[in-house]
Amino acid sequence: MKTKYFILSLVSILVLGCSTASQKMQKTINTGEGMIVGTICIENRTHNSYTFSYADDIPSVNDYPISQESFTYKDDRPDFKENGKSYFLFSINKPSGKYKFFKIRVFTNTSDKISTIDIPINMKFQVEEGKTTYFGQMNINTKKKIYTVENNIDRDRTWFAKKAPQIQF
């Protein structure tokens, strides 16, 4: 009996543990919403989790977002690896409007230390109802605490076609 539970537990861990970030993505546009898609490249990936926070880009709450959301990659396998860098695909469904990424929180938990690093950012994006808009590739260097955005639309179309063919942009 214990063997059956052990095998069942092992299979569950393997199935759940092998899920990729793209399986967490929103793959269809909900009524009254639009979608923003892109890639996140994490250079020097040595931490346990990376949380990307975004909110409405409303001037009165720019510094202190009232309504915010986030998504986290926690020990996830990247969707793609290239030249030693980890790449994660993302999609966000929201009603039409202006939004921004405002913070990346990097968390580390090892046997000898626990640390959290907040990297303030200001990356704006716009969502249009019924449309899928390409954001670009967000490059994150946690050692230098810097970020950039670049356009890799052709490569990202190929990657999305492999991982989430429902998403067209």
Side-chain angles (χ1 to χ4, degrees):
M1 191 69 162
K2 288 182 181 181
T3 305
K4 286 183 183 179
Y5 287 120
F6 175 75
I7 292 172
L8 182 61
S9 297
L10 183 61
V11 169
S12 297
I13 289 169
L14 288 173
V15 169
L16 295 173
C18 292
S19 66
T20 64
S22 65
Q23 292 173 329
K24 298 178 191 175
M25 283 192 307
Q26 299 168 327
K27 296 179 181 174
T28 57
I29 298 175
N30 301 322
T31 304
E33 294 183 336
M35 181 183 287
I36 189 88
V37 298
T39 312
I40 294 173
C41 172
I42 301 175
E43 302 174 19
N44 311 314
R45 187 170 174 228
T46 57
H47 305 282
N48 297 103
S49 71
Y50 303 83
T51 301
F52 296 83
S53 298
Y54 58 94
D56 292 342
D57 186 25
I58 300 171
S60 63
V61 294
N62 259 351
D63 294 329
Y64 305 99
I66 294 170
S67 175
Q68 61 185 1
E69 296 180 54
S70 63
F71 55 92
T72 300
Y73 298 110
K74 182 179 179 183
D75 296 324
D76 289 336
R77 285 182 167 173
D79 290 304
F80 296 94
K81 284 193 91 147
E82 196 173 80
N83 300 323
K85 297 178 182 175
S86 299
Y87 296 87
F88 298 90
L89 305 180
F90 74 89
S91 66
I92 299 170
N93 282 2
K94 295 296 290 174
S96 291
K98 294 180 180 182
Y99 300 90
K100 70 175 185 172
F101 287 104
F102 66 91
K103 177 176 63 178
I104 303 167
R105 174 165 282 171
V106 180
F107 177 74
T108 302
N109 185 3
T110 62
S111 59
D112 60 336
K113 78 173 187 176
I114 296 175
S115 69
T116 301
I117 302 167
D118 284 343
I119 303 171
I121 62 175
N122 187 19
M123 291 189 199
K124 298 179 183 209
F125 60 94
Q126 186 165 345
V127 176
E128 296 179 51
E129 184 177 346
K131 292 186 179 180
T132 301
T133 305
Y134 178 66
F135 175 81
Q137 175 180 303
M138 189 185 323
N139 301 301
I140 310 300
N141 185 319
T142 56
K143 285 185 180 180
K144 296 180 181 177
K145 297 183 184 178
I146 60 171
Y147 61 91
T148 59
V149 175
E150 60 185 72
N151 185 333
N152 284 315
I153 194 167
D154 293 330
R155 184 213 56 203
D156 286 352
R157 280 184 174 141
T158 302
W159 284 2
F160 270 88
K162 289 178 182 177
K163 295 285 184 170
Q166 313 86 320
I167 299 175
Q168 302 288 313
F169 55 95

